[in-house]
């Protein structure tokens, strides 16, 4: 696959629709950035161990309940597309 | 069922909702069932901009307990990962799950059933994740409710070790029992707390290698549907194989509750989940001490109980009946050292179950009284009818078994004088029968007289002794 | 007449305490500054003047009743529009959240609000933090008050510009790869990138979760310590947050601190190709000043600097591609009517994100996707480990590292439109810090004409006190 195909593929994964013109513009830009990132290949990283980036561990909480948002607050971002407190969409699964 | 041509090769993925008080990564209540939509949400589980997760330690302890019960190895260095895909019911556009370092891996579940099945099914892994929201489809609309979003969910993945419908069923039931014993989930299927995904293929009996295809069926919400799916897939796949074709590797969906499936067009790209470590949650390190304390909290497991019961001499039927039901095995386990276990088991699965099913257990009921009751029976102080009466009294209003027996005059009597006076009374009231017997006209009349004496004595006299005494008197 | 353009928090505290001004007068002075500058500068996306004046008059009443004036009490400020504010529109500089009114408050806003600070409004930013110039905002570019033909730096450019012209005495920015330090450098201010986790990120609309930090932009080091004392510390809603003593202001004013001398490391790699010679000169003069003050200057090497920018972008864009998944138009944000959900999500995102954000999402999705993650994401995480080691080694030799904040003077608006990579490389000196988690501050080192040049002080984890102290010595 070409870089253009790869980028079209990730656009689909990311749910972005690119016009042909955008794809034309983006491909060389993204390509130059990805090429730039290849600088990482200069390093021998076989002996470097990575599992997780954090100095903290075991940051957990007790199993206790706190107040939730009200229904009104929860759907406040969708005044027009909610029905009795449920977010409403045109049908997800096609009949 | 006719002889089968192919052997089933089945692996299961099981999702189990935990019964913590709060959700996995936020403090919303988990008591959302039957509530108004979007009343149990917060910025975190609703995926609002800027909100962050904060993991629930209880849920983590739960999955480690389950892992240990499944004989899994535990990743003492574990972490959460993001699994990315966009779907309307997935509020963050990724599910916080575990990819590389699940809490539990490489275990097994001992499965069994009443028919004598016993097998060990290998567990590939058990990891912690979170549930999605709920979509309800009505007409041309979909309604989204995020109350379920962020519920703690354990995913268990088996190896393809399951080879029949009987085994599928036994696996599901034994796993359900195990999580119930541990108290990590209520495993209520009607509430969607336990869901199955089947990966299934067929191969000729005797073949060892895995078939080169598998069919996935998702979203199975009950054990009976699970059994039906496996049966209907057997039929479908075997027909294809009979034509010397190979079933298509695909995901199929349930058509309805009969277990019929249909192909679901799999969306392209859907498999690229782009896992990476969840940067918002530091790693979870489980110390040796912590592991030990969780290990110590694990109760006797279903298969261990079963083995213990059969070693006590209980038959498989009664043993599994006890293992299946907490009220029954608790009653048994509390009392089994203090009385005859077989009689105890019979009492529990018999009259005891009948009474509590009908009337419930009274608050005053002391379960340890069952041992006293069985002992009274074993010592010959109560006959079986009397035992039934005492059990009913105990369960419905409490008290001591012996007191109830006394108060109701149920204790077997060896008082010969009392017996003789009852016999005299019966003889005097049944002249005709006495005559028939004495004249030899009806030798069986003595049976009638014995019956009358037993009835008058409320069954408290030993039948042999009654026969002897009445024969003498006549 | 209150000159809010130069007034510090510290001075305002005294004036309020001595009844030289009222809180309403102070707040009104800031509002006046905003009203007279905004048409030219465009630092704010949303203003909250009514709420501000209401709170100011309440605070005047409290002061009259004897309330102590300390910290940020009664101090007008602005908040980068990346922080959610309940009931107040929060856009993250984007179209997709153009009309979004959050249902909850960011932790930092809550702390400041409870401490008596007065919110004037939400400041402009590169959409979702994606930029170093504040040119990538749905709400137009913000101009640099020192020279309006130039960018103010970014992504917290609105915050920098607002503080520079007096639209509030401080601002809370957000620093993922230099977003506080760049505007501080370009606008002649102090910008703080605290230790990762020192200030709660709860309610901060994420760019890259493992880099994002919350910190102030102020006129002086002293003011920065005053704000940090209010906002730092462990939060029960951010699992990556850490404990803090919150005695920054006290520390830098101790006699012991004032006489404390440091080993200052100067990394060769930050003075080589790409640096503007004029900028270099200003920084060298600043180093000379420190030497004269009695600090030990030590040349050091940070050999992985070359790889830091690439690693920074790979991880940062991977994370941002995931963080922005929640913006699907289903529960909030831009809404469109379509036949089915997939079209809806796609259309909302396609219309709602700027080209720069789309570019970053595409790259981040690419670097995480099957077949490429090993080559990019996993490799970059390993390089990150090397970067940590590198700084750890450096801090065995020296106490604090001094570098230019930005290698160049603020670019003219539009200068880098056709070359995103060049714009990205402008961040080289700041963005290598965030993957390591260590703190860094930018403070003015000197000026070239009307323009300011910032220097960056970098220390080990949780060394903010020492950074502030060394910075304070420069400003005294």
């Amino acid at each position: 696959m070409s870089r253009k195909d790869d980028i079209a593929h990730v656009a689909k994964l990311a749910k972005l629709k690119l016009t042909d013109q955008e794809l034309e513009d983006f491909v060389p830009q993204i390509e130059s950035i990805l090429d730039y990132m290849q600088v990482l290949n200069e390093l021998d990283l076989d002996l470097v161990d990575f599992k997780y980036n954090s100095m903290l561990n075991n940051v957990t909480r007790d199993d206790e309940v706190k107040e939730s948002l009200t229904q009104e607050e929860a759907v406040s971002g969708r005044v027009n597309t909610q029905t009795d407190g449920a977010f409403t969409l045109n049908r997800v699964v096609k009949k | 069922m006719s002889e089968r041509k192919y052997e089933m090769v089945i692996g299961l993925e099981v999702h189990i909702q935990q019964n913590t008080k709060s959700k996995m990564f936020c403090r919303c209540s988990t008591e959302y069932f039957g509530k108004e939509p979007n009343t149990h949400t917060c910025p975190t589980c609703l995926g609002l901009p800027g909100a962050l997760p904060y993991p629930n330690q209880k849920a983590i302890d739960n999955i480690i307990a389950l892992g240990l019960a499944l004989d899994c190895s535990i990743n003492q260095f574990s972490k959460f990962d993001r699994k990315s895909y966009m779907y309307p019911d997935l509020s963050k556009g990724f599910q916080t799950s575990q990819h590389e370092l699940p809490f539990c891996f490489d275990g097994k579940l001992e499965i069994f059933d009443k028919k004598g099945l016993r097998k060990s099914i290998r567990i590939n892994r058990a990891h912690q994740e979170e549930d999605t929201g709920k979509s309800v489809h009505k007409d041309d609309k979909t309604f989204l409710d995020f109350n379920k979003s962020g519920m703690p969910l354990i995913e268990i993945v088996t190896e393809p070790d399951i080879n029949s419908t009987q085994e599928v069923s036994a696996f599901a039931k034994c796993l359900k029992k195990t999580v119930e014993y541990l108290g990590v989930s209520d495993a209520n299927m009607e509430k969607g707390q336990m869901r199955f995904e089947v990966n299934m293929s067929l191969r000729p009996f005797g073949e060892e290698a895995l078939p080169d295809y598998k069919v996935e069926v998702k979203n199975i919400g009950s054990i009976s549907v699970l059994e039906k799916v496996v049966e209907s897939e057997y039929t479908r796949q075997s027909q294809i194989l009979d034509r010397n074709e190979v079933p298509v590797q695909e995901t199929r969906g349930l058509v309805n509750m009969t277990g019929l499936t249909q192909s679901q067009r799999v969306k392209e790209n859907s498999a690229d989940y782009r896992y990476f470590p969840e940067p918002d949650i530091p790693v979870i390190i489980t110390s040796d001490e912590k592991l030990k304390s969780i290990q110590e909290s694990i109760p006797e497991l279903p298969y261990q109980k079963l083995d213990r019961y059969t070693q006590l001499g209980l038959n498989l039927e009664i043993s599994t009946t006890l293992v299946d039901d907490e009220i029954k095995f608790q009653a048994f386990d509390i009392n089994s050292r203090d009385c005859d276990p077989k009689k105890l088991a019979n009492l529990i699965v018999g009259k005891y179950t009948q009474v509590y099913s009908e009337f419930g257990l009274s608050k005053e009921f002391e379960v340890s009284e069952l041992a006293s009751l069985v002992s009274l029976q074993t010592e010959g102080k109560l006959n079986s009818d009397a035992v039934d009466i005492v059990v009913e009294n105990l369960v419905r209003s409490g008290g001591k078994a012996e007191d109830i027996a006394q108060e109701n005059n149920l204790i077997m009597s060896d008082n010969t004088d009392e017996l003789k006076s009852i016999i005299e009374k019966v003889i005097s009231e049944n002249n005709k029968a006495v005559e028939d017997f004495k004249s030899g006209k009806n030798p069986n009349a003595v049976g009638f007289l014995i019956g009358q004496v037993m009835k008058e004595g409320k069954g408290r006299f030993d039948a042999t002794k009654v026969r002897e005494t009445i024969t003498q008197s006549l | 007449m209150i000159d809010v353009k130069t007034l510090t928090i510290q001075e305002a505290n005294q004036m309020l305490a001595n009844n030289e001004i009222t809180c309403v007068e102070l707040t009104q002075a800031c509002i006046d500054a905003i009203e007279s500058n905004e048409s030219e500068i465009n630092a704010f996306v949303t203003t909250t003047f009514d709420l501000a004046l209401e709170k100011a008059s309440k605070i005047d009443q409290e002061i009259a009743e004897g309330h102590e004036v300390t910290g940020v009490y009664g101090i007008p400020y602005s908040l980068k529009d990346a922080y959610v504010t309940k009931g107040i529109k929060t856009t993250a500089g984007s179209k997709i959240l153009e009309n979004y009114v959050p249902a909850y408050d960011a932790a930092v806003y809550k702390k400041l609000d409870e401490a008596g600070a007065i919110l004037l409004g939400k400041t402009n930013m590169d959409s979702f933090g994606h930029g170093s110039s504040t040119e990538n905002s749905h709400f137009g570019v913000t101009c640099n008050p020192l020279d309006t033909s130039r960018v103010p730096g970014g992504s917290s450019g609105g915050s920098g510009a607002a503080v520079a012209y007096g639209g509030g005495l401080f601002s809370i920015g957000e620093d993922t790869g230099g977003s506080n330090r760049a505007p501080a450098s370009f606008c002649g201010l102090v910008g703080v990138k605290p230790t990762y986790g020192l200030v709660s990120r709860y309610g901060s609309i994420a760019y890259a979760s493992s880099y994002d930090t919350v910190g102030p932009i102020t006129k002086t080091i002293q003011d920065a310590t005053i704000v940090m004392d209010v906002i730092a510390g462990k939060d029960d809603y951010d699992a990556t947050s850490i404990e803090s003593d919150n005695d920054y202001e006290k520390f830098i004013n101790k006699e012991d601190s004032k006489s404390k001398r440091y080993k200052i490391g100067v990394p060769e790699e930050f003075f080589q190709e790409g640096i503007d010679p004029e900028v270099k000169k200003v920084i060298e003069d600043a180093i000379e000043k420190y030497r004269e003050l009695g600090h030990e200057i030590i040349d050091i090497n940070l050999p992985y600097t070359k790889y830091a920018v690439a690693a920074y972008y790979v991880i940062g864009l991977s994370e941002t591609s995931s963080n922005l998944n929640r913006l699907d138009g289903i529960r909030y944000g831009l809404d469109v009517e379509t036949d089915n959900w997939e079209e809806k999500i796609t259309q909302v995102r396609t219309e709602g994100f700027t080209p720069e954000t789309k570019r970053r999402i595409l790259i981040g999705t690419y670097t995480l996707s099957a077949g490429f993650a090993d080559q990019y994401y996993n490799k970059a995480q390993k390089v990150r480990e090397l970067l940590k080691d590198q700084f750890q080694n450096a801090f065995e030799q020296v106490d604090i590292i001094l570098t230019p904040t930005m290698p160049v003077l603020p670019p003219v608006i539009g200068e880098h439109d056709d070359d995103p990579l060049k714009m990205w490389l402008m961040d080289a000196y700041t963005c290598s810090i965030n993957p390591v988690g260590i703190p860094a501050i930018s403070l003015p080192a000197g000026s070239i004409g009307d323009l300011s040049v910032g220097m960056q002080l970098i220390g080990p984890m949780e060394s903010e006190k020492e950074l502030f102290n060394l910075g304070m010595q420069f400003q005294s």
Side-chain angles (χ1 to χ4, degrees):
Chain A
M1 268 209 302
S2 69
R3 275 272 169 78
K4 193 173 165 181
D5 293 337
D6 288 339
I7 290 163
H9 166 75
V10 298
K12 231 173 215 175
L13 280 179
K15 301 249 187 291
L16 291 172
K17 193 176 206 159
L18 301 181
T19 61
D20 289 346
Q21 184 55 50
E22 277 176 313
L23 200 55
E24 287 303 316
D25 292 346
F26 278 175
V27 168
Q29 290 169 346
I30 291 175
E31 201 146 43
S32 74
I33 289 162
L34 289 170
D35 288 345
Y36 171 74
M37 288 169 169
Q38 294 283 348
V39 70
L40 299 178
N41 290 326
E42 289 175 14
L43 294 166
D44 180 5
L45 299 167
D46 289 351
L47 295 176
V48 184
D49 188 35
F50 165 72
K51 272 188 185 146
Y52 186 82
N53 169 67
S54 166
M55 266 142 288
L56 301 174
N57 60 62
N58 292 357
V59 188
T60 59
R61 63 182 172 82
D62 292 339
D63 183 23
E64 284 167 0
V65 173
K66 291 247 166 78
E67 214 171 314
S68 294
L69 294 172
T70 63
Q71 188 187 57
E72 196 184 344
E73 286 169 333
V75 299
S76 60
R78 275 294 170 268
V79 181
N80 300 321
T81 45
Q82 56 98 6
T83 313
D84 298 331
F87 298 100
T88 311
L89 283 176
N90 285 333
R91 186 147 186 180
V92 171
V93 179
K94 293 238 171 177
K95 275 184 271 187
Chain B
M1 200 182 295
S2 61
E3 193 67 13
R4 289 203 148 151
K5 194 168 165 188
Y6 302 101
E7 181 180 49
M8 297 176 181
V9 181
I10 297 171
L12 289 177
E13 277 173 40
V14 189
H15 283 99
I16 296 170
Q17 232 183 42
Q18 290 175 234
N19 59 4
T20 52
K21 293 191 196 78
S22 63
K23 290 185 182 178
M24 186 63 225
F25 298 114
C26 65
R27 294 153 175 94
C28 285
S29 166
T30 54
E31 301 283 327
Y32 67 85
F33 195 80
K35 301 282 168 61
E36 285 279 297
N38 299 308
T39 51
H40 289 57
T41 68
C42 71
T44 299
C45 59
L46 201 54
L48 297 187
L52 297 169
Y54 212 114
N56 183 339
Q57 182 64 48
K58 175 74 183 158
I60 294 170
D61 292 351
N62 279 349
I63 184 171
I64 291 175
L66 177 59
L68 291 172
L70 295 176
D71 209 17
C72 285
S73 302
I74 303 297
N75 273 315
Q76 287 179 260
F77 180 100
S78 186
K79 65 180 172 76
F80 290 98
D81 299 289
R82 291 187 182 178
K83 176 183 182 179
S84 289
Y85 65 94
M86 289 169 87
Y87 203 76
D89 65 10
L90 188 66
S91 61
K92 295 178 293 184
F94 60 82
Q95 182 186 35
T96 307
S97 179
Q98 295 194 289
H99 184 51
E100 289 172 322
L101 298 167
F103 283 115
C104 319
F105 63 101
D106 281 357
K108 61 179 194 294
L109 175 67
E110 292 291 322
I111 65 166
F112 56 86
D113 68 9
K114 274 193 169 69
K115 293 172 192 149
L117 168 69
R118 183 62 183 266
K119 188 172 171 180
S120 184
I121 304 294
R122 287 172 302 153
I123 303 293
N124 175 289
R125 61 187 276 151
H127 69 248
Q128 182 67 52
E129 57 184 36
E130 59 178 334
D131 215 338
T132 62
K134 190 175 87 173
S135 318
V136 176
H137 310 292
K138 224 181 281 167
D139 302 325
D140 59 344
K141 297 282 183 201
T142 296
F143 301 91
L144 291 162
D145 169 13
F146 290 90
N147 286 344
K148 182 164 77 73
S149 170
M151 282 294 290
L153 206 59
I154 296 172
E155 179 175 325
I156 296 165
V157 182
T158 77
E159 296 292 346
D161 289 353
I162 300 167
N163 300 115
S164 66
T165 310
Q166 185 190 2
E167 288 178 17
V168 165
S169 177
F171 180 90
K173 285 173 186 160
C174 287
L175 182 60
K176 180 174 192 290
K177 251 171 264 173
T178 303
V179 297
E180 287 168 353
Y181 274 38
L182 292 167
V184 305
S185 171
D186 300 339
N188 183 332
M189 313 237 180
E190 266 130 54
K191 292 185 180 175
Q193 292 167 350
M194 191 169 181
R195 286 132 36 195
F196 304 92
E197 210 173 295
V198 175
N199 282 288
M200 177 170 171
S201 48
L202 302 181
R203 67 184 168 200
F205 277 99
E207 191 94 32
E208 290 288 315
L210 291 177
D212 51 8
Y213 75 96
K214 68 181 180 194
V215 172
E216 185 180 53
V217 186
K218 290 185 164 182
N219 288 325
I220 303 167
S222 82
I223 296 177
S224 65
V225 173
L226 177 65
E227 291 164 354
K228 286 174 191 157
V229 165
V230 168
E231 282 298 314
S232 92
E233 269 304 296
Y234 181 88
T235 309
R236 192 185 69 84
Q237 293 183 22
S238 64
Q239 282 166 0
I240 296 170
L241 291 168
D242 284 345
R243 297 197 298 266
N244 284 322
E245 289 167 18
V246 179
V248 179
Q249 172 135 345
E250 62 178 347
T251 299
R252 297 180 69 84
L254 272 181
V255 177
N256 55 36
M257 293 305 133
T258 65
L260 281 181
T261 65
Q262 70 185 8
S263 184
Q264 284 184 331
R265 267 181 302 138
V266 186
K267 278 167 268 119
E268 53 184 323
N269 311 330
S270 66
D272 194 349
Y273 290 129
R274 289 156 284 148
Y275 285 103
F276 75 101
E278 167 56 271
D280 290 328
I281 305 175
V283 296
I284 306 292
I285 296 173
T286 307
S287 67
D288 292 343
E289 295 77 54
K290 175 97 193 175
L291 214 51
K292 195 166 163 244
S293 87
I294 296 176
Q295 180 71 266
E296 281 161 3
S297 74
I298 293 175
E300 186 181 35
L301 296 168
Y303 78 94
Q304 294 166 332
K305 230 179 238 308
L306 181 86
D307 289 350
R308 184 163 60 81
Y309 292 167
T310 51
Q311 275 158 23
L312 283 171
L314 308 188
N315 68 33
L316 199 57
E317 169 88 26
I318 283 187
S319 297
T320 48
T321 306
L322 289 177
V323 167
D324 278 351
D325 182 353
E326 189 178 354
I327 297 178
K328 295 190 184 72
F329 70 68
Q330 273 186 354
F332 184 81
D333 290 346
I334 286 166
N335 294 298
S336 65
R337 282 206 200 89
D338 303 322
C339 63
D340 181 281
K342 282 194 205 170
K343 282 203 170 67
L344 174 67
N346 285 328
L347 174 67
I348 288 169
V349 304
K351 188 68 180 178
Y352 176 67
T353 298
Q354 185 199 325
V355 177
Y356 82 64
S357 310
E358 190 172 349
F359 302 104
L361 291 172
S362 148
K363 278 195 190 114
E364 278 76 41
F365 170 59
E366 298 268 359
V367 71
S368 61
E369 280 305 299
L370 293 179
S372 317
L373 176 57
V374 172
S375 297
L376 287 172
Q377 185 187 15
T378 313
E379 289 159 19
K381 289 184 179 163
L382 292 179
N383 64 28
S384 59
D385 291 344
V387 168
D388 287 354
I389 292 166
V390 176
V391 162
E392 184 162 342
N393 274 281
L394 279 175
V395 169
R396 297 183 64 180
S397 40
K400 300 275 177 212
E402 186 145 14
D403 295 348
I404 294 167
Q406 295 282 8
E407 281 157 23
N408 293 283
N409 204 13
L410 298 170
I411 304 279
M412 295 292 272
S413 174
D414 51 4
N415 185 336
T416 315
D417 290 345
E418 191 193 354
L419 178 59
K420 279 184 174 161
S421 72
I422 288 171
I423 288 172
E424 273 167 32
K425 184 168 174 257
V426 169
I427 288 175
S428 69
E429 285 170 3
N430 293 284
N431 286 331
K432 182 159 186 309
V434 173
E435 282 308 310
D436 287 353
F437 175 71
K438 279 185 175 169
S439 65
K441 188 175 166 189
N442 180 5
N444 292 334
V446 73
F448 170 76
L449 293 169
I450 291 169
Q452 291 303 106
V453 172
M454 292 298 279
K455 192 177 162 194
E456 195 73 20
K458 290 182 175 161
R460 290 176 301 116
F461 296 96
D462 180 69
T464 319
K465 190 171 176 185
V466 170
R467 178 178 287 273
E468 276 167 19
T469 317
I470 203 165
T471 314
Q472 279 166 23
S473 301
L474 294 168
Chain C
M1 175 74 193
I2 309 162
D3 183 7
V4 285
K5 197 171 169 183
T6 57
L7 186 72
T8 65
I9 299 175
Q10 192 187 15
E11 291 162 354
N13 270 335
Q14 278 168 5
M15 292 167 85
L16 285 169
N18 299 336
N19 294 318
E20 291 167 43
I21 49 167
T22 65
C23 186
V24 168
E25 284 165 353
L26 176 61
T27 305
Q28 190 58 53
C30 291
I31 292 171
D32 292 346
I34 294 169
E35 287 181 331
S36 62
N37 281 285
E38 267 308 275
S39 61
E40 200 176 12
I41 303 296
N42 190 35
F44 284 83
V45 175
T46 303
T47 53
T48 53
F49 297 157
D50 289 349
L51 286 171
L53 288 168
E54 197 180 308
K55 185 162 180 189
S57 88
K58 201 178 119 227
I59 280 183
D60 279 332
Q61 205 173 334
E62 284 175 7
I63 292 174
E65 286 161 7
H67 196 292
E68 199 191 356
V69 181
T70 171
V72 297
Y73 184 76
I75 305 296
Y77 77 108
S78 64
L79 204 51
K80 186 177 184 176
D81 211 16
Y83 297 101
V84 298
T85 41
K86 189 172 177 175
I88 301 168
K89 209 169 69 174
T90 301
T91 70
S94 73
K95 182 178 178 187
I96 203 166
L97 293 178
E98 187 169 12
N99 296 305
Y100 176 56
V101 180
Y104 79 111
D105 284 331
V108 67
Y109 172 58
K110 215 170 186 177
K111 276 188 175 171
L112 288 165
D113 195 50
E114 281 164 9
I118 294 167
L119 181 72
L120 295 164
K122 311 289 291 291
T123 55
N124 199 15
M125 58 184 283
D126 286 301
S127 197
F128 297 106
H130 295 158
S132 323
S133 64
T134 318
E135 288 167 287
N136 173 37
S137 167
H138 178 62
F139 303 96
V141 62
T142 297
C143 301
N144 189 327
L146 304 184
D147 175 349
T148 53
S149 70
R150 293 175 186 264
V151 304
S155 63
S156 313
S159 289
V163 177
Y165 76 60
L169 304 194
F170 71 96
S171 187
I172 299 297
E174 188 274 342
D175 190 312
T176 302
S179 292
N180 277 351
R181 288 162 287 164
S185 179
F186 285 171
C187 298
L189 302 166
V190 171
V192 181
K193 182 264 164 219
T195 300
Y196 182 74
L198 188 66
V199 182
S200 172
R201 292 181 294 122
Y202 189 69
S204 166
I205 298 178
Y207 168 6
S209 310
S210 70
Y211 299 161
D212 291 351
T213 57
V214 179
I217 293 177
T218 57
K219 293 192 185 94
T220 63
I221 295 280
Q222 171 93 24
D223 281 2
T225 62
I226 292 171
V227 178
M228 284 301 288
D229 279 342
V230 176
I231 64 176
K234 172 78 186 149
D235 175 24
D236 285 345
Y237 287 83
D238 177 358
T240 61
S241 66
I242 58 175
E243 301 287 347
S244 163
D245 293 340
N246 296 25
D247 57 354
Y248 302 102
E249 189 190 8
K250 208 170 111 201
F251 181 84
I252 60 163
N253 287 300
K254 282 199 299 200
E255 284 312 314
D256 283 358
S257 305
K258 288 176 182 167
S259 59
K260 193 166 176 181
R261 294 297 174 259
Y262 295 90
K263 287 185 196 166
I264 301 174
V266 178
E268 199 189 336
E269 292 79 2
F270 284 63
F271 293 86
Q272 292 166 341
E273 53 183 310
I275 188 167
D276 181 322
E278 285 187 296
V279 169
K280 190 175 172 184
K281 176 74 172 55
V282 171
I283 301 300
E284 281 166 352
D285 291 349
I287 294 170
E288 207 39 51
K289 179 174 174 186
Y290 272 123
R291 199 194 303 275
E292 282 162 16
L293 285 169
H295 298 279
E296 189 182 348
I297 307 297
I298 301 171
D299 289 332
I300 61 165
N301 284 98
L302 295 172
Y304 290 117
T305 299
K306 180 181 168 192
Y307 307 100
V309 182
Y312 164 81
Y313 274 106
V314 170
I315 297 166
L317 301 195
S318 296
E319 289 182 4
T320 209
S321 73
S322 158
N323 287 332
L324 297 181
N325 275 356
R326 67 184 60 194
L327 294 159
D328 57 10
I330 291 183
R331 286 148 291 125
Y332 50 81
L334 188 64
D335 202 357
V336 294
E337 174 92 20
T338 58
D339 288 346
N340 70 58
W341 67 270
E342 200 151 15
E343 265 172 43
K344 174 171 181 141
I345 295 178
T346 305
Q347 199 178 323
V348 160
R349 291 168 64 82
T350 301
E351 279 177 29
F353 291 133
T354 63
E356 176 66 9
T357 293
K358 283 186 215 173
R359 237 185 330 255
R360 295 192 185 209
I361 290 174
L362 291 172
I363 296 169
T365 307
Y366 184 93
T367 52
L368 279 177
S369 67
F372 298 108
D374 270 342
Q375 211 179 324
Y376 292 96
Y377 180 81
N378 295 334
K379 218 159 240 175
Q381 285 287 21
K382 287 183 169 190
V383 172
R384 184 182 202 166
E385 296 300 309
L386 296 179
L387 291 174
K388 284 187 206 165
D389 292 347
Q390 164 187 277
F391 277 101
Q392 205 176 336
N393 294 339
F395 289 124
E396 280 166 16
Q397 287 179 64
V398 300
D399 301 316
I400 289 170
I401 295 169
L402 188 157
T403 76
T405 305
M406 304 302 281
V408 292
L409 290 168
V412 170
I413 290 164
E415 193 176 322
H416 293 317
D417 277 358
D418 300 323
D419 191 352
L421 183 59
K422 197 159 179 207
M423 177 68 95
W424 291 18
L425 294 177
M426 206 168 76
D427 281 349
Y429 297 170
T430 50
C431 75
S432 54
I433 305 309
N434 295 66
V436 182
I438 52 180
I441 62 174
S442 177
L443 67 154
S447 43
I448 299 168
D450 291 337
L451 300 173
S452 182
V453 173
M455 67 172 154
Q456 177 173 232
L457 301 177
I458 307 160
M461 295 300 270
E462 298 176 69
S463 66
E464 278 81 353
K465 278 178 199 165
E466 311 296 346
L467 298 180
F468 288 139
N469 191 36
L470 184 60
M472 184 74 171
Q473 290 184 19
F474 190 82
Q475 289 190 340
S476 308

